[in-house]
Amino acid sequence: MVVSVKIAFDGTNYHGFQIQDDVPTIFGTFQEALIKILGHSTDIKGCSRTDRGVHAKCFILSFETHKNLNLSRFPLAMNANLPIDIRVIEANEVSEGFHARYDAKGKEYTYYILNSHIDDPFNNKYYYKVASNLDVNKMNEAAQYYVGYHDFRSFMAQKSNINDCHRTVYSAKVEKIDNMVIYKVSADGYLYNMVRIMVGTLINVGKGLYEPEKVKEIILAENRAEAGPTVPPQGLFLTNVFYD
Amino acid sequence: MVVSVKIAFDGTNYHGFQIQDDVPTIFGTFQEALIKILGHSTDIKGCSRTDRGVHAKCFILSFETHKNLNLSRFPLAMNANLPIDIRVIEANEVSEGFHARYDAKGKEYTYYILNSHIDDPFNNKYYYKVASNLDVNKMNEAAQYYVGYHDFRSFMAQKSNINDCHRTVYSAKVEKIDNMVIYKVSADGYLYNMVRIMVGTLINVGKGLYEPEKVKEIILAENRAEAGPTVPPQGLFLTNVFYD
């Protein structure tokens, strides 16, 4: 059977998703627990390569096993073998050939900006703090320029070398709840650091460094230097993955 | 001038509020920062003695100083000298003779119960997990028996020796938001472990171990052994303090 698994994790103590030698990763930690449960090793596919320090409220993995697993009991069994910062939420049987990454039609990311000069003593690992006042309406106006099919080269880390930088952003929204400015974006795919550079650019708009319309020019410039800074990973959450 | 200060803190790494030798406390940590800011020591009053591991979203302290402090800048100055798990929210000048504890007319506590068999990887320091299904309506019905002026001896830790165990509960409510069962209680004062024993008793009702009406009998019994268990401190937050 092929199984898709939904997990959530706090990325603070991990070097991202992808397995690496000698450092803790989400993949490596999940794989170790899975081998204990299955009694055999198997090829695990993840829906995305999340960066070091990025979190996920919804991350999809898939694997194949010849065992007839009781999937309703699988989360409990896995969670007993995982550290508390990685939790298996649910598991479902999927059709032969399902691939968590290639079959994903899109993903939603959410970025949290605490707009205050006072940190939150409880959730300080889960936002980026900006003390200066942010104009949320202008940020949301600016975010609408991201929507659509564009070359997002301006929003890609310079060390990345990808040829086709076209992506389709389905929706983008900035809203404020209490002191928290929340950016939600859905797209068919993302370039390296794309969401974090989008947010850095929106913060510049929110601070009044430039007008919302400038975002249109930044996209057209196809030049990383035109966009805002890359904000830190701890405010970023993968919040949804879409399949047919 | 006499100053009242509102702080919030994550109690996980502290041995409660009251100062003790050789262990970190909220009082000791706050005092150390305050002496740096004031340049002199002063008598600090806290609104309550919170237990080890209990948190506060609103905790009031008061102190006197001969300096003419700029109170709008005080939070920033203090926060630069405090660990991130204690934050000063605001400071206000109050009348001569104000005492954070004796002048408090009441306090509100909130207790968080995660009613799920899966932990939350992000907030796992801030709730008590109960996997078995809880009947929230019955819990709320039971909580209404707490309201009023009663002898709460059944809800006091046995090691405590207080003569007058009468307290007035102004309001008590149990509600569920997503997977979180939230108990909010306001009273003019609390006995040692009172909220945590109230919650342990409500959980027994929620599990169906006894009917809501049993809570009335438990109060009348004036016997700790009749009430439910003392739930752990990490789900408990002081959320409001009332003054005239």
Side-chain angles (χ1 to χ4, degrees):
Chain A
M1 69 200 294
V2 180
V3 179
S4 99
V5 183
K6 178 176 165 181
I7 68 172
F9 60 81
D10 175 341
T12 309
N13 299 319
Y14 297 92
H15 289 242
F17 178 75
Q18 288 293 109
I19 200 157
Q20 297 168 61
D21 288 341
D22 306 324
V23 292
T25 62
I26 303 295
F27 184 100
T29 309
F30 182 88
Q31 185 181 47
E32 199 180 308
L34 185 62
I35 290 173
K36 276 187 200 160
I37 300 299
L38 295 181
H40 67 83
S41 65
T42 178
D43 198 20
I44 300 166
K45 319 287 187 190
C47 66
S48 120
R49 303 175 173 218
T50 62
D51 285 349
R52 181 173 179 175
V54 172
H55 315 293
K57 290 185 183 177
C58 171
F59 188 104
I60 307 295
L61 301 145
S62 58
F63 66 87
E64 199 173 343
T65 179
H66 57 271
K67 296 233 168 143
N68 192 16
L69 287 178
N70 178 337
L71 293 180
S72 65
R73 292 182 59 188
F74 180 81
L76 226 61
M78 282 294 287
N79 288 334
N81 286 283
L82 283 167
I84 199 163
D85 53 7
I86 304 179
R87 292 290 94 181
V88 171
I89 312 294
E90 59 177 31
N92 293 292
E93 187 168 1
V94 284
S95 56
E96 206 70 25
F98 175 86
H99 189 295
R101 187 168 176 195
Y102 301 141
D103 287 349
K105 298 296 177 229
K107 291 187 208 90
E108 178 197 76
Y109 280 95
T110 306
Y111 196 94
Y112 294 89
I113 304 158
L114 184 74
N115 192 203
S116 168
H117 60 275
I118 302 171
D119 272 286
D120 177 341
F122 308 108
N123 290 302
N124 53 69
K125 292 185 299 174
Y126 307 124
Y127 58 76
Y128 172 52
K129 186 177 71 169
V130 174
S132 49
N133 198 44
L134 295 175
D135 186 326
V136 178
N137 290 331
K138 285 199 169 173
M139 290 171 74
N140 187 50
E141 201 185 320
Q144 302 320 309
Y145 292 101
Y146 292 148
V147 178
Y149 177 77
H150 303 291
D151 185 314
F152 282 101
R153 196 172 302 266
S154 297
F155 298 86
M156 178 173 72
Q158 271 163 327
K159 57 181 166 178
S160 194
N161 54 355
I162 287 193
N163 291 323
D164 184 3
C165 297
H166 285 81
R167 296 292 183 273
T168 300
V169 171
Y170 303 128
S171 67
K173 189 176 77 170
V174 181
E175 62 173 346
K176 190 169 185 179
I177 298 177
D178 298 327
N179 284 331
M180 201 63 87
V181 175
I182 303 165
Y183 174 59
K184 264 190 202 299
V185 59
S186 281
D188 63 350
Y190 297 87
L191 303 168
Y192 190 48
N193 282 353
M194 181 166 147
V195 181
R196 292 162 58 188
I197 300 168
M198 283 175 146
V199 171
T201 306
L202 293 177
I203 288 172
N204 281 355
V205 172
K207 284 176 174 173
L209 297 181
Y210 36 74
E211 289 304 306
E213 302 75 46
K214 176 81 187 293
V215 169
K216 195 178 173 181
E217 294 170 34
I218 293 170
I219 294 171
L220 292 172
E222 298 182 12
N223 177 0
R224 170 70 189 88
E226 293 295 311
T230 307
V231 291
Q234 81 266 12
L236 185 59
F237 289 74
L238 176 58
T239 43
N240 223 331
V241 190
F242 309 108
Y243 297 94
D244 273 337
Chain B
M1 67 199 296
V2 181
V3 179
S4 97
V5 183
K6 178 176 164 180
I7 67 171
F9 59 81
D10 175 341
T12 309
N13 298 319
Y14 297 92
H15 288 242
F17 178 76
Q18 287 292 110
I19 198 157
Q20 297 167 60
D21 288 341
D22 306 324
V23 293
T25 63
I26 303 295
F27 184 99
T29 310
F30 183 88
Q31 185 180 47
E32 200 180 306
L34 185 62
I35 289 172
K36 276 187 201 160
I37 300 299
L38 294 181
H40 67 82
S41 66
T42 180
D43 198 21
I44 300 166
K45 318 287 186 190
C47 66
S48 118
R49 304 174 173 218
T50 61
D51 286 349
R52 181 174 179 173
V54 173
H55 316 292
K57 291 186 182 175
C58 171
F59 187 104
I60 307 296
L61 301 145
S62 59
F63 67 87
E64 200 172 343
T65 179
H66 57 272
K67 297 233 168 142
N68 193 16
L69 289 176
N70 178 336
L71 294 180
S72 64
R73 293 182 58 188
F74 181 81
L76 226 60
M78 283 292 289
N79 288 334
N81 286 282
L82 284 167
I84 200 164
D85 53 9
I86 304 179
R87 292 291 93 180
V88 171
I89 311 293
E90 60 178 30
N92 292 292
E93 188 169 359
V94 286
S95 56
E96 207 70 26
F98 175 85
H99 189 296
R101 186 168 177 197
Y102 301 142
D103 287 349
K105 296 297 178 228
K107 291 186 209 89
E108 179 197 76
Y109 280 94
T110 306
Y111 196 94
Y112 294 89
I113 303 158
L114 184 75
N115 192 201
S116 168
H117 60 274
I118 301 171
D119 272 287
D120 176 341
F122 308 108
N123 290 302
N124 53 67
K125 292 185 300 173
Y126 307 124
Y127 59 75
Y128 171 52
K129 186 177 72 169
V130 174
S132 49
N133 197 45
L134 295 175
D135 185 324
V136 178
N137 290 331
K138 285 199 169 174
M139 290 172 75
N140 187 50
E141 200 184 324
Q144 303 320 309
Y145 292 102
Y146 292 147
V147 179
Y149 177 78
H150 303 292
D151 186 314
F152 282 101
R153 195 172 303 266
S154 297
F155 298 86
M156 178 173 72
Q158 271 164 326
K159 58 181 165 177
S160 192
N161 55 356
I162 285 193
N163 290 321
D164 184 2
C165 297
H166 286 82
R167 296 293 183 272
T168 300
V169 171
Y170 302 128
S171 66
K173 191 174 77 173
V174 181
E175 62 173 345
K176 191 168 185 179
I177 298 176
D178 298 327
N179 283 331
M180 200 64 85
V181 175
I182 303 166
Y183 173 58
K184 263 190 201 303
V185 59
S186 281
D188 62 350
Y190 297 87
L191 304 167
Y192 190 49
N193 282 353
M194 182 166 146
V195 182
R196 292 162 59 187
I197 300 169
M198 282 172 144
V199 171
T201 305
L202 293 177
I203 288 172
N204 281 354
V205 172
K207 285 176 174 172
L209 296 182
Y210 35 75
E211 288 303 306
E213 301 77 44
K214 176 80 188 292
V215 169
K216 194 177 174 181
E217 294 171 34
I218 293 170
I219 295 172
L220 292 172
E222 298 182 13
N223 177 0
R224 170 69 188 91
E226 293 295 312
T230 307
V231 292
Q234 80 266 12
L236 185 60
F237 288 75
L238 176 58
T239 43
N240 223 331
V241 190
F242 307 109
Y243 297 94
D244 274 339

